Amino acid sequence: MSSWRSWHRPLVVFSAAMAILALVSAVGLVVDDRVLVGAPIWAKPFKFAVSFAAYCLTLAWMLTHLTRGVRTGRWAGHVVVLTSLGEMVLITVQVVRGRRSHFNSATPFDAALFDAMGKTVVVLWAATLVIAVLLLRTRIADRATALAVRGGVLIALAGAALGFLMTLPSESQRAAGNLDTADIVGAHSVGVPDGGPAMPLTGWSTTGGDLRAPHFVGMHALQLLPLLVIVLVLLAPRFAPLRDAGVRLRLVRVAVAGYAALVALITWQALRGQPLIHPDGATLAAAGAVLAAVACGTWSTLRTAAPDRPSSNTADDREPVA
């Protein structure tokens, strides 16, 4: 693994700043008893700060793998920092004002802030897409790591794109009409109003669908899939099959496919207005099929592995060189 000193410094600094903001927001959760849309007012900056800290730190590491377009990647990283900073500043400003940051058109100023947030998110997504394209074109020596990085960033882009669905008028808002003059246009929840009964910590609805669930799970493929590779490598000395780079690659293939299926499943669940923790029979059947496919893929990979096969010089351990 590359030295942390070679990581994209602005992304690392911004991640550290977000960790500090998360601590400040945690204090706010304790000392500020204001509630907005059914949740503590400091919950949103806390969750966003934690998410951005992990997201940007992971991108800082991923950029060290680039062998082509290094300068373009660094500039894309700068754009991620600037747009993420803009997003957090706008969210925090609205918290201080005691106002909703998302979907708020109650006043011209609120509408202008939300419009600015929308533009920063689009640019942030586009900058991450640039990084994803560069990672797809670069050669990463270990194929399992290459797949985890590429699969993670692509699923994260899909998860981030789900956020745009939240800006569309909900069914009840469309039924009410007057969208041009409505105070609130857009919602996290599907089938129920925002601010109802919710899961602890996440704040996801327990009475209707919630698009924040697939949005969150999708975006954090960026961390979880590369983390899986690290775990497999750490376990390799104890479990002989994992010493084979080809086995690790096939396990990551199963994980990427399973993770993508999970994001698709909970997106489908949310769009049907169904709470994450109260799945119906169709959702349970689909989840069972995904789980069975992942279990079968994992079992098949480990069952057919040659325990004592050396891995250091296997062709499957390296990206093919053109």
Side-chain angles (χ1 to χ4, degrees):
M1 181 178 288
S2 57
S3 168
W4 67 269
R5 292 183 178 84
S6 66
W7 293 18
H8 190 281
R9 186 165 298 176
L11 282 169
V12 172
V13 172
F14 180 74
S15 296
M18 288 300 98
I20 294 171
L21 179 58
L23 291 175
V24 172
S25 299
V27 173
L29 287 169
V30 175
V31 303
D32 191 340
D33 59 2
R34 289 180 296 167
V35 174
L36 188 63
V37 198
I41 199 166
W42 284 96
K44 180 164 288 187
F46 174 78
K47 290 187 288 187
F48 270 71
V50 171
S51 183
F52 270 130
Y55 187 83
C56 291
L57 192 64
T58 307
L59 284 181
W61 167 71
M62 286 184 172
L63 285 170
T64 64
H65 289 88
L66 293 183
T67 55
R68 302 178 181 178
V70 175
R71 180 175 296 181
T72 301
R74 290 198 63 81
W75 276 107
H78 296 336
V79 173
V80 169
V81 170
L82 290 174
T83 51
S84 301
L85 176 61
E87 179 87 354
M88 288 308 303
V89 167
L90 294 172
I91 289 172
T92 307
V93 164
Q94 289 295 68
V95 166
V96 172
R97 296 179 67 231
R99 309 283 290 183
R100 290 186 66 162
S101 56
H102 288 71
F103 322 128
N104 190 353
S105 302
T107 69
F109 184 68
D110 290 324
L113 290 187
F114 182 53
D115 183 62
M117 289 176 61
K119 289 181 170 62
T120 61
V121 169
V122 170
V123 177
L124 169 60
W125 191 89
T128 306
L129 177 61
V130 169
I131 294 172
V133 171
L134 292 174
L135 288 169
L136 288 171
R137 296 179 64 243
T138 202
R139 291 189 177 91
I140 299 175
D142 180 71
R143 296 187 69 189
T145 299
L147 180 60
V149 166
R150 293 164 180 168
V153 73
L154 290 175
I155 295 173
L157 280 168
L162 292 173
F164 297 117
L165 294 178
M166 303 179 203
T167 65
L168 302 175
S170 67
E171 185 176 338
S172 61
Q173 290 166 353
R174 289 195 299 269
N178 301 318
L179 293 177
D180 292 337
T181 58
D183 289 348
I184 302 296
V185 178
H188 300 125
S189 303
V190 179
V192 295
D194 284 348
M199 296 170 58
L201 187 60
T202 64
W204 300 338
S205 176
T206 57
T207 57
D210 200 313
L211 289 166
R212 289 174 294 183
H215 179 62
F216 174 87
V217 173
M219 286 189 64
H220 291 289
L222 196 73
Q223 294 86 41
L224 294 177
L225 289 173
L227 182 62
L228 172 63
V229 177
I230 294 172
V231 171
L232 292 177
V233 170
L234 291 176
L235 290 176
R238 290 177 175 268
F239 298 95
L242 298 182
R243 297 170 197 161
D244 186 334
V247 170
R248 295 197 299 271
L249 173 62
R250 291 191 290 276
L251 288 174
V252 173
R253 284 175 180 159
V254 171
V256 170
Y259 203 108
L262 173 64
V263 174
L265 173 62
I266 59 177
T267 301
W268 176 58
Q269 182 183 11
L271 289 173
R272 289 187 294 133
Q274 188 179 115
L276 181 69
I277 59 174
H278 298 303
D280 64 8
T283 301
L284 287 173
V290 171
L291 183 60
V294 170
C296 287
T298 302
W299 178 79
S300 177
T301 297
L302 295 176
R303 180 175 175 272
T304 58
D308 299 319
R309 199 169 102 195
S311 62
S312 58
N313 294 318
T314 58
D316 216 11
D317 189 30
R318 296 182 300 277
E319 287 271 294
V321 177

